[in-house]
Amino acid sequence: MLNDVFPLRVEAVPAARASEWRADDSFPPRQTQAWQLIYVRSGTIEERCDDRRVLLRAGGLLFHQPGEVFAMTTVGEVPPETLRIDFYCTGAAMDRFRGTILHAEPTEQHDLDWLANTANTVFDAAPVRGEPPIVKDDLPFGAMQQFIIHLENLLILLARRCRRTKRPVARVRRERRQYVLVEDARAYFAANLTRELKVDEVCAALGCTRPQLQQAFRARLRRTAMEEFSAMRIEYAAQLLARGASPGEVAAQMGYCSGAYFSQRFRAATGHTPSAYRRIQQGLPARRQNRQQKGKPESKTPIAESPQKE
């Protein structure tokens, strides 16, 4: 009986208001002691669920089970608006939500919108970002009871739907395949940072087609596979420079065709030349200019890009 399945005790909601999140924002991993509902009203986030990561777009929702480690990272340029509800609940019906990713249907949207709109009038923002918020002292009569009623009704509707759901929808299966493909590709990139890679070589190593690879990277990281590989190479080069390696040594070690080409790529990515970045990281004074350089205007002609080695 569903009446015996969802006795609730709400502890905290929501983890963040829409105005609190920015692009490229996140909060560190923590462990939930209760069930936790996370719902995305707008934007896109990447939600950690123990060892796996899930991409949630607008309308997406999932449940963290008690004891699960969770974290959130915003994805894209649109600041997301999220609702996060911690609650205690006993009953076997909650097992239907373990590891399940859902997308809100019209019948469930009413309760979700009501909860999201009411949360900011029932709870004050937490003093520490990402921590549970605080229940307000001057609540309207029956406000918390209303909140629990809408949450109970939402759980009943979701439980009925999960009973008839046999397999994840095609979109969710596609997102899972894309996540695995991107992670495998980044692992392959990390093992080959000291040489140039071609897209066809990466596809052959991963057993995928070029469109599949590019679609997965654009969907998850908003960039192409080779743009991600170039960014990883520049990051690795920056680490070598910070450890004291000279720009020439880094260019040779990482297989760049010339020091000038490496300098051009590094400056385009970081805004600093390799030499200047190395001095900054080691706390060395800036290079002094001679008298001729002081009076000479800076050249605006870009360095010609040297052809890469095949």
Side-chain angles (χ1 to χ4, degrees), residues 177-178 180-182 184-185 189 199-217 225:
R177 290 195 299 268
Q178 289 177 345
V180 173
L181 182 56
V182 168
D184 289 345
F189 292 161
V199 178
D200 294 337
E201 177 187 348
V202 178
C203 293
L206 300 178
C208 66
T209 64
R210 182 189 291 247
Q212 289 173 338
L213 182 68
Q214 301 295 25
Q215 185 179 14
F217 270 86

PDB file of all heavy atoms in Angstrom, residues 177-178 180-182 184-185 189 199-217 225:
ATOM      1  N   ARG A 177      26.343   6.131 -23.034  1.00  0.00           N
ATOM      2  CA  ARG A 177      27.373   5.736 -24.001  1.00  0.00           C
ATOM      3  C   ARG A 177      28.335   6.891 -24.274  1.00  0.00           C
ATOM      4  O   ARG A 177      29.549   6.688 -24.384  1.00  0.00           O
ATOM      5  CB  ARG A 177      26.715   5.274 -25.305  1.00  0.00           C
ATOM      6  CG  ARG A 177      25.969   3.945 -25.202  1.00  0.00           C
ATOM      7  CD  ARG A 177      25.664   3.390 -26.586  1.00  0.00           C
ATOM      8  NE  ARG A 177      24.825   4.293 -27.362  1.00  0.00           N
ATOM      9  CZ  ARG A 177      23.498   4.236 -27.390  1.00  0.00           C
ATOM     10  NH1 ARG A 177      22.854   3.320 -26.682  1.00  0.00           N
ATOM     11  NH2 ARG A 177      22.810   5.074 -28.131  1.00  0.00           N
ATOM     12  N   GLN A 178      27.804   8.103 -24.368  1.00  0.00           N
ATOM     13  CA  GLN A 178      28.659   9.264 -24.610  1.00  0.00           C
ATOM     14  C   GLN A 178      29.597   9.502 -23.439  1.00  0.00           C
ATOM     15  O   GLN A 178      30.777   9.846 -23.645  1.00  0.00           O
ATOM     16  CB  GLN A 178      27.799  10.501 -24.870  1.00  0.00           C
ATOM     17  CG  GLN A 178      27.079  10.489 -26.206  1.00  0.00           C
ATOM     18  CD  GLN A 178      26.181  11.693 -26.380  1.00  0.00           C
ATOM     19  OE1 GLN A 178      25.861  12.404 -25.424  1.00  0.00           O
ATOM     20  NE2 GLN A 178      25.768  11.954 -27.602  1.00  0.00           N
ATOM     21  N   VAL A 180      30.826   7.280 -21.332  1.00  0.00           N
ATOM     22  CA  VAL A 180      31.885   6.266 -21.370  1.00  0.00           C
ATOM     23  C   VAL A 180      32.884   6.578 -22.474  1.00  0.00           C
ATOM     24  O   VAL A 180      34.105   6.463 -22.273  1.00  0.00           O
ATOM     25  CB  VAL A 180      31.268   4.865 -21.563  1.00  0.00           C
ATOM     26  CG1 VAL A 180      32.363   3.821 -21.785  1.00  0.00           C
ATOM     27  CG2 VAL A 180      30.419   4.489 -20.356  1.00  0.00           C
ATOM     28  N   LEU A 181      32.396   6.997 -23.639  1.00  0.00           N
ATOM     29  CA  LEU A 181      33.280   7.301 -24.768  1.00  0.00           C
ATOM     30  C   LEU A 181      34.204   8.474 -24.442  1.00  0.00           C
ATOM     31  O   LEU A 181      35.408   8.429 -24.727  1.00  0.00           O
ATOM     32  CB  LEU A 181      32.454   7.603 -26.012  1.00  0.00           C
ATOM     33  CG  LEU A 181      33.239   7.904 -27.296  1.00  0.00           C
ATOM     34  CD1 LEU A 181      34.190   6.769 -27.638  1.00  0.00           C
ATOM     35  CD2 LEU A 181      32.275   8.177 -28.449  1.00  0.00           C
ATOM     36  N   VAL A 182      33.664   9.524 -23.834  1.00  0.00           N
ATOM     37  CA  VAL A 182      34.479  10.690 -23.483  1.00  0.00           C
ATOM     38  C   VAL A 182      35.536  10.318 -22.447  1.00  0.00           C
ATOM     39  O   VAL A 182      36.703  10.727 -22.554  1.00  0.00           O
ATOM     40  CB  VAL A 182      33.586  11.839 -22.973  1.00  0.00           C
ATOM     41  CG1 VAL A 182      34.427  12.941 -22.334  1.00  0.00           C
ATOM     42  CG2 VAL A 182      32.762  12.416 -24.112  1.00  0.00           C
ATOM     43  N   ASP A 184      36.869   7.352 -21.903  1.00  0.00           N
ATOM     44  CA  ASP A 184      37.884   6.510 -22.541  1.00  0.00           C
ATOM     45  C   ASP A 184      38.812   7.344 -23.404  1.00  0.00           C
ATOM     46  O   ASP A 184      40.038   7.112 -23.439  1.00  0.00           O
ATOM     47  CB  ASP A 184      37.211   5.425 -23.391  1.00  0.00           C
ATOM     48  CG  ASP A 184      36.522   4.371 -22.543  1.00  0.00           C
ATOM     49  OD1 ASP A 184      36.797   4.317 -21.326  1.00  0.00           O
ATOM     50  OD2 ASP A 184      35.711   3.612 -23.093  1.00  0.00           O
ATOM     51  N   ALA A 185      38.248   8.313 -24.118  1.00  0.00           N
ATOM     52  CA  ALA A 185      39.067   9.171 -24.974  1.00  0.00           C
ATOM     53  C   ALA A 185      40.029  10.021 -24.142  1.00  0.00           C
ATOM     54  O   ALA A 185      41.209  10.159 -24.493  1.00  0.00           O
ATOM     55  CB  ALA A 185      38.174  10.070 -25.827  1.00  0.00           C
ATOM     56  N   PHE A 189      44.013  10.160 -24.314  1.00  0.00           N
ATOM     57  CA  PHE A 189      44.750  11.424 -24.462  1.00  0.00           C
ATOM     58  C   PHE A 189      45.836  11.540 -23.400  1.00  0.00           C
ATOM     59  O   PHE A 189      46.970  11.922 -23.689  1.00  0.00           O
ATOM     60  CB  PHE A 189      43.790  12.615 -24.340  1.00  0.00           C
ATOM     61  CG  PHE A 189      42.820  12.751 -25.471  1.00  0.00           C
ATOM     62  CD1 PHE A 189      41.661  13.515 -25.323  1.00  0.00           C
ATOM     63  CD2 PHE A 189      43.034  12.117 -26.684  1.00  0.00           C
ATOM     64  CE1 PHE A 189      40.763  13.636 -26.361  1.00  0.00           C
ATOM     65  CE2 PHE A 189      42.132  12.231 -27.726  1.00  0.00           C
ATOM     66  CZ  PHE A 189      40.993  12.995 -27.562  1.00  0.00           C
ATOM     67  N   VAL A 199      42.520  12.462 -35.369  1.00  0.00           N
ATOM     68  CA  VAL A 199      41.192  12.010 -34.993  1.00  0.00           C
ATOM     69  C   VAL A 199      40.976  10.560 -35.399  1.00  0.00           C
ATOM     70  O   VAL A 199      40.417   9.759 -34.636  1.00  0.00           O
ATOM     71  CB  VAL A 199      40.113  12.906 -35.626  1.00  0.00           C
ATOM     72  CG1 VAL A 199      38.717  12.399 -35.276  1.00  0.00           C
ATOM     73  CG2 VAL A 199      40.261  14.338 -35.164  1.00  0.00           C
ATOM     74  N   ASP A 200      41.431  10.191 -36.604  1.00  0.00           N
ATOM     75  CA  ASP A 200      41.237   8.821 -37.078  1.00  0.00           C
ATOM     76  C   ASP A 200      41.961   7.814 -36.181  1.00  0.00           C
ATOM     77  O   ASP A 200      41.463   6.706 -35.961  1.00  0.00           O
ATOM     78  CB  ASP A 200      41.728   8.690 -38.525  1.00  0.00           C
ATOM     79  CG  ASP A 200      40.881   9.501 -39.490  1.00  0.00           C
ATOM     80  OD1 ASP A 200      39.719   9.793 -39.144  1.00  0.00           O
ATOM     81  OD2 ASP A 200      41.377   9.850 -40.579  1.00  0.00           O
ATOM     82  N   GLU A 201      43.129   8.193 -35.671  1.00  0.00           N
ATOM     83  CA  GLU A 201      43.861   7.305 -34.765  1.00  0.00           C
ATOM     84  C   GLU A 201      43.097   7.086 -33.473  1.00  0.00           C
ATOM     85  O   GLU A 201      43.017   5.969 -32.959  1.00  0.00           O
ATOM     86  CB  GLU A 201      45.237   7.887 -34.472  1.00  0.00           C
ATOM     87  CG  GLU A 201      46.056   7.066 -33.488  1.00  0.00           C
ATOM     88  CD  GLU A 201      47.348   7.748 -33.086  1.00  0.00           C
ATOM     89  OE1 GLU A 201      47.724   8.741 -33.743  1.00  0.00           O
ATOM     90  OE2 GLU A 201      47.975   7.282 -32.114  1.00  0.00           O
ATOM     91  N   VAL A 202      42.518   8.165 -32.941  1.00  0.00           N
ATOM     92  CA  VAL A 202      41.745   8.057 -31.708  1.00  0.00           C
ATOM     93  C   VAL A 202      40.515   7.180 -31.918  1.00  0.00           C
ATOM     94  O   VAL A 202      40.189   6.316 -31.096  1.00  0.00           O
ATOM     95  CB  VAL A 202      41.325   9.453 -31.217  1.00  0.00           C
ATOM     96  CG1 VAL A 202      40.464   9.344 -29.956  1.00  0.00           C
ATOM     97  CG2 VAL A 202      42.550  10.314 -30.942  1.00  0.00           C
ATOM     98  N   CYS A 203      39.817   7.382 -33.044  1.00  0.00           N
ATOM     99  CA  CYS A 203      38.621   6.582 -33.333  1.00  0.00           C
ATOM    100  C   CYS A 203      38.972   5.106 -33.473  1.00  0.00           C
ATOM    101  O   CYS A 203      38.235   4.233 -32.995  1.00  0.00           O
ATOM    102  CB  CYS A 203      37.951   7.094 -34.608  1.00  0.00           C
ATOM    103  SG  CYS A 203      37.237   8.749 -34.457  1.00  0.00           S
ATOM    104  N   ALA A 204      40.107   4.818 -34.130  1.00  0.00           N
ATOM    105  CA  ALA A 204      40.522   3.418 -34.291  1.00  0.00           C
ATOM    106  C   ALA A 204      40.854   2.790 -32.943  1.00  0.00           C
ATOM    107  O   ALA A 204      40.541   1.619 -32.693  1.00  0.00           O
ATOM    108  CB  ALA A 204      41.720   3.344 -35.229  1.00  0.00           C
ATOM    109  N   ALA A 205      41.480   3.555 -32.058  1.00  0.00           N
ATOM    110  CA  ALA A 205      41.848   3.019 -30.747  1.00  0.00           C
ATOM    111  C   ALA A 205      40.629   2.772 -29.871  1.00  0.00           C
ATOM    112  O   ALA A 205      40.616   1.841 -29.057  1.00  0.00           O
ATOM    113  CB  ALA A 205      42.813   3.976 -30.047  1.00  0.00           C
ATOM    114  N   LEU A 206      39.580   3.602 -30.031  1.00  0.00           N
ATOM    115  CA  LEU A 206      38.396   3.487 -29.184  1.00  0.00           C
ATOM    116  C   LEU A 206      37.283   2.668 -29.821  1.00  0.00           C
ATOM    117  O   LEU A 206      36.279   2.367 -29.165  1.00  0.00           O
ATOM    118  CB  LEU A 206      37.858   4.889 -28.840  1.00  0.00           C
ATOM    119  CG  LEU A 206      38.817   5.819 -28.097  1.00  0.00           C
ATOM    120  CD1 LEU A 206      38.162   7.170 -27.866  1.00  0.00           C
ATOM    121  CD2 LEU A 206      39.250   5.209 -26.773  1.00  0.00           C
ATOM    122  N   GLY A 207      37.436   2.354 -31.105  1.00  0.00           N
ATOM    123  CA  GLY A 207      36.408   1.566 -31.783  1.00  0.00           C
ATOM    124  C   GLY A 207      35.134   2.329 -32.040  1.00  0.00           C
ATOM    125  O   GLY A 207      34.034   1.775 -31.900  1.00  0.00           O
ATOM    126  N   CYS A 208      35.248   3.617 -32.415  1.00  0.00           N
ATOM    127  CA  CYS A 208      34.073   4.443 -32.697  1.00  0.00           C
ATOM    128  C   CYS A 208      34.278   5.185 -34.007  1.00  0.00           C
ATOM    129  O   CYS A 208      35.371   5.176 -34.573  1.00  0.00           O
ATOM    130  CB  CYS A 208      33.821   5.433 -31.566  1.00  0.00           C
ATOM    131  SG  CYS A 208      35.117   6.691 -31.378  1.00  0.00           S
ATOM    132  N   THR A 209      33.255   5.842 -34.485  1.00  0.00           N
ATOM    133  CA  THR A 209      33.359   6.655 -35.697  1.00  0.00           C
ATOM    134  C   THR A 209      33.651   8.103 -35.319  1.00  0.00           C
ATOM    135  O   THR A 209      33.452   8.510 -34.171  1.00  0.00           O
ATOM    136  CB  THR A 209      32.068   6.588 -36.511  1.00  0.00           C
ATOM    137  OG1 THR A 209      30.996   7.181 -35.743  1.00  0.00           O
ATOM    138  CG2 THR A 209      31.714   5.148 -36.856  1.00  0.00           C
ATOM    139  N   ARG A 210      34.106   8.866 -36.304  1.00  0.00           N
ATOM    140  CA  ARG A 210      34.393  10.285 -36.049  1.00  0.00           C
ATOM    141  C   ARG A 210      33.137  11.043 -35.591  1.00  0.00           C
ATOM    142  O   ARG A 210      33.199  11.804 -34.625  1.00  0.00           O
ATOM    143  CB  ARG A 210      34.994  10.923 -37.303  1.00  0.00           C
ATOM    144  CG  ARG A 210      35.383  12.387 -37.125  1.00  0.00           C
ATOM    145  CD  ARG A 210      35.745  12.992 -38.465  1.00  0.00           C
ATOM    146  NE  ARG A 210      36.992  12.440 -38.974  1.00  0.00           N
ATOM    147  CZ  ARG A 210      38.115  13.146 -39.105  1.00  0.00           C
ATOM    148  NH1 ARG A 210      38.132  14.419 -38.743  1.00  0.00           N
ATOM    149  NH2 ARG A 210      39.202  12.595 -39.589  1.00  0.00           N
ATOM    150  N   PRO A 211      31.971  10.879 -36.267  1.00  0.00           N
ATOM    151  CA  PRO A 211      30.773  11.595 -35.782  1.00  0.00           C
ATOM    152  C   PRO A 211      30.389  11.219 -34.351  1.00  0.00           C
ATOM    153  O   PRO A 211      29.971  12.080 -33.576  1.00  0.00           O
ATOM    154  CB  PRO A 211      29.688  11.172 -36.782  1.00  0.00           C
ATOM    155  CG  PRO A 211      30.429  10.815 -38.028  1.00  0.00           C
ATOM    156  CD  PRO A 211      31.710  10.205 -37.549  1.00  0.00           C
ATOM    157  N   GLN A 212      30.531   9.950 -33.985  1.00  0.00           N
ATOM    158  CA  GLN A 212      30.200   9.544 -32.615  1.00  0.00           C
ATOM    159  C   GLN A 212      31.116  10.220 -31.603  1.00  0.00           C
ATOM    160  O   GLN A 212      30.671  10.685 -30.550  1.00  0.00           O
ATOM    161  CB  GLN A 212      30.307   8.025 -32.482  1.00  0.00           C
ATOM    162  CG  GLN A 212      29.215   7.249 -33.190  1.00  0.00           C
ATOM    163  CD  GLN A 212      29.455   5.751 -33.165  1.00  0.00           C
ATOM    164  OE1 GLN A 212      30.588   5.281 -32.989  1.00  0.00           O
ATOM    165  NE2 GLN A 212      28.396   4.986 -33.349  1.00  0.00           N
ATOM    166  N   LEU A 213      32.408  10.295 -31.924  1.00  0.00           N
ATOM    167  CA  LEU A 213      33.376  10.915 -31.018  1.00  0.00           C
ATOM    168  C   LEU A 213      33.090  12.404 -30.853  1.00  0.00           C
ATOM    169  O   LEU A 213      33.046  12.920 -29.729  1.00  0.00           O
ATOM    170  CB  LEU A 213      34.784  10.689 -31.541  1.00  0.00           C
ATOM    171  CG  LEU A 213      35.927  11.237 -30.668  1.00  0.00           C
ATOM    172  CD1 LEU A 213      36.021  10.463 -29.362  1.00  0.00           C
ATOM    173  CD2 LEU A 213      37.252  11.178 -31.419  1.00  0.00           C
ATOM    174  N   GLN A 214      32.889  13.093 -31.969  1.00  0.00           N
ATOM    175  CA  GLN A 214      32.677  14.544 -31.902  1.00  0.00           C
ATOM    176  C   GLN A 214      31.348  14.869 -31.230  1.00  0.00           C
ATOM    177  O   GLN A 214      31.249  15.831 -30.460  1.00  0.00           O
ATOM    178  CB  GLN A 214      32.722  15.140 -33.318  1.00  0.00           C
ATOM    179  CG  GLN A 214      34.023  14.900 -34.071  1.00  0.00           C
ATOM    180  CD  GLN A 214      35.222  15.604 -33.425  1.00  0.00           C
ATOM    181  OE1 GLN A 214      35.238  15.882 -32.219  1.00  0.00           O
ATOM    182  NE2 GLN A 214      36.238  15.891 -34.226  1.00  0.00           N
ATOM    183  N   GLN A 215      30.313  14.082 -31.513  1.00  0.00           N
ATOM    184  CA  GLN A 215      29.018  14.327 -30.883  1.00  0.00           C
ATOM    185  C   GLN A 215      29.090  14.136 -29.376  1.00  0.00           C
ATOM    186  O   GLN A 215      28.509  14.903 -28.603  1.00  0.00           O
ATOM    187  CB  GLN A 215      27.962  13.404 -31.489  1.00  0.00           C
ATOM    188  CG  GLN A 215      26.549  13.671 -30.984  1.00  0.00           C
ATOM    189  CD  GLN A 215      25.522  12.759 -31.620  1.00  0.00           C
ATOM    190  OE1 GLN A 215      25.867  11.760 -32.240  1.00  0.00           O
ATOM    191  NE2 GLN A 215      24.256  13.100 -31.473  1.00  0.00           N
ATOM    192  N   ALA A 216      29.824  13.124 -28.925  1.00  0.00           N
ATOM    193  CA  ALA A 216      29.954  12.877 -27.489  1.00  0.00           C
ATOM    194  C   ALA A 216      30.676  14.030 -26.796  1.00  0.00           C
ATOM    195  O   ALA A 216      30.258  14.482 -25.720  1.00  0.00           O
ATOM    196  CB  ALA A 216      30.703  11.559 -27.258  1.00  0.00           C
ATOM    197  N   PHE A 217      31.753  14.532 -27.394  1.00  0.00           N
ATOM    198  CA  PHE A 217      32.511  15.620 -26.768  1.00  0.00           C
ATOM    199  C   PHE A 217      31.719  16.927 -26.783  1.00  0.00           C
ATOM    200  O   PHE A 217      31.743  17.683 -25.812  1.00  0.00           O
ATOM    201  CB  PHE A 217      33.851  15.801 -27.473  1.00  0.00           C
ATOM    202  CG  PHE A 217      34.953  14.975 -26.871  1.00  0.00           C
ATOM    203  CD1 PHE A 217      35.159  13.669 -27.270  1.00  0.00           C
ATOM    204  CD2 PHE A 217      35.767  15.492 -25.881  1.00  0.00           C
ATOM    205  CE1 PHE A 217      36.162  12.898 -26.707  1.00  0.00           C
ATOM    206  CE2 PHE A 217      36.770  14.745 -25.303  1.00  0.00           C
ATOM    207  CZ  PHE A 217      36.966  13.435 -25.717  1.00  0.00           C
ATOM    208  N   ALA A 225      36.857  16.851 -29.751  1.00  0.00           N
ATOM    209  CA  ALA A 225      37.812  15.957 -29.104  1.00  0.00           C
ATOM    210  C   ALA A 225      39.231  16.514 -29.192  1.00  0.00           C
ATOM    211  O   ALA A 225      39.993  16.469 -28.225  1.00  0.00           O
ATOM    212  CB  ALA A 225      37.744  14.570 -29.739  1.00  0.00           C
TER     213      ALA A 225
END
